[in-house]
Amino acid sequence: TQLLEQSPQFLSIQEGENLTVYCNSSSVFSSLQWYRQEPGEGPVLLVTVVTGGEVKKLKRLTFQFGDARKDSSLHITAAQPGDTGLYLCAGADGGSNYKLTFGKGTLLTVNP
Amino acid sequence: DTAVSQTPKYLVTQMGNDKSIKCEQNLGHDTMYWYKQDSKKFLKIMFSYNNKELIINETVPNRFSPKSPDKAHLNLHINSLELGDSAVYFCASSQVRGGGTDTQYFGPGTRLTVL
């Protein structure tokens, strides 16, 4: 069974600060996705990374896939209250059904 | 228009009852999923259907039975509800088979509370 460990589990910061969230596994994933979930809603896809070492930017968010495709990080620059939410990483096993395994999430609170 | 919709939004019921949750997607996707999110926010795949064919069936009690009447609908029926079934259940859909590089679109969730 593939497991994804996310850290930190909780993060509370002030507006304008930078932060990094980590997603680690001992397993290799064919691809990795990051989702954000707001209270009372379903997760929404932010990005998909496929190639080892790949870096993708989405405005103030920077996503990196580890060289060995076992880990990923999400860095947010100058966090804003609108960034508040649960950040989930999800890895695909590359099998015939590409089942997604989710991490347990990082709950981010950005205080104004 | 809501892309993936679920009904009901909230479901409160007694132990031992049987209940169903319905899901519909209007995105024209081939694949649909059911996930369970527990009180610690851990999201776990339960089932997946591709064009009405069951392709993922995780270790889930057989009290849970998915049914896909057509590729736009995936319902979840739960028999003999137990306290531990309390959770938020999410339906999702994706264009192709599996969620590797494909975007999964999630519904708003159904919060099930078993008393």
Side-chain angles (χ1 to χ4, degrees):
Chain A
T1 303
Q2 295 178 308
L3 293 174
L4 277 167
E5 298 289 339
Q6 281 189 243
S7 61
Q9 189 177 356
F10 300 96
L11 188 55
S12 180
I13 61 171
Q14 293 300 120
E15 182 175 1
E17 292 182 7
N18 301 333
L19 66 114
T20 302
V21 174
Y22 299 93
C23 176
N24 297 299
S25 175
S26 58
S27 303
V28 175
F29 290 97
S30 62
S31 62
L32 195 135
Q33 297 182 323
W34 284 92
Y35 288 80
R36 181 169 69 206
Q37 184 179 11
E38 299 189 15
E41 298 181 11
V44 176
L45 180 68
L46 296 174
V47 77
T48 300
V49 285
V50 178
T51 307
E54 183 176 4
V55 176
K56 280 192 174 179
K57 292 193 174 185
L58 186 65
K59 296 183 181 177
R60 294 175 293 99
L61 279 59
T62 302
F63 304 86
Q64 184 160 9
F65 201 12
D67 290 343
R69 290 186 287 127
K70 292 182 179 181
D71 55 85
S72 180
S73 63
L74 157 60
H75 181 81
I76 302 179
T77 304
Q80 298 176 1
D83 296 327
T84 294
L86 178 70
Y87 289 81
L88 297 161
C89 65
D93 64 9
S96 61
N97 292 320
Y98 288 96
K99 183 179 69 176
L100 278 183
T101 299
F102 279 83
K104 293 191 176 182
T106 293
L107 187 59
L108 171 65
T109 303
V110 182
N111 302 298
Chain B
D1 278 350
T2 303
V4 181
S5 59
Q6 296 178 227
T7 53
K9 175 77 171 169
Y10 299 95
L11 186 52
V12 181
T13 188
Q14 299 287 330
M15 261 189 349
N17 284 349
D18 303 338
K19 289 294 179 185
S20 291
I21 306 172
K22 296 187 175 182
C23 177
E24 176 181 2
Q25 54 97 0
N26 62 8
L27 298 168
H29 288 168
D30 288 340
T31 308
M32 296 184 72
Y33 313 80
W34 276 112
Y35 287 88
K36 178 180 179 181
Q37 188 171 47
D38 63 22
S39 59
K40 296 184 178 179
K41 303 298 185 185
F42 184 42
L43 195 62
K44 195 171 188 310
I45 182 76
M46 299 173 70
F47 303 103
S48 177
Y49 271 75
N50 176 260
N51 275 322
K52 301 196 296 175
E53 175 194 357
L54 181 65
I55 59 171
I56 295 176
N57 186 355
E58 288 296 283
T59 306
V60 176
N62 58 16
R63 298 181 294 104
F64 290 80
S65 53
K67 282 187 173 54
S68 183
D70 55 62
K71 75 173 191 176
H73 295 85
L74 180 60
N75 304 322
L76 183 65
H77 188 75
I78 315 170
N79 289 325
S80 304
L81 279 155
E82 299 178 357
L83 293 176
D85 297 333
S86 294
V88 181
Y89 291 84
F90 286 98
C91 177
S93 73
S94 65
Q95 178 63 51
V96 297
R97 183 185 182 109
T101 55
D102 198 27
T103 302
Q104 290 195 20
Y105 293 84
F106 285 80
T110 295
R111 180 175 294 276
L112 171 65
T113 303
V114 183
L115 302 174

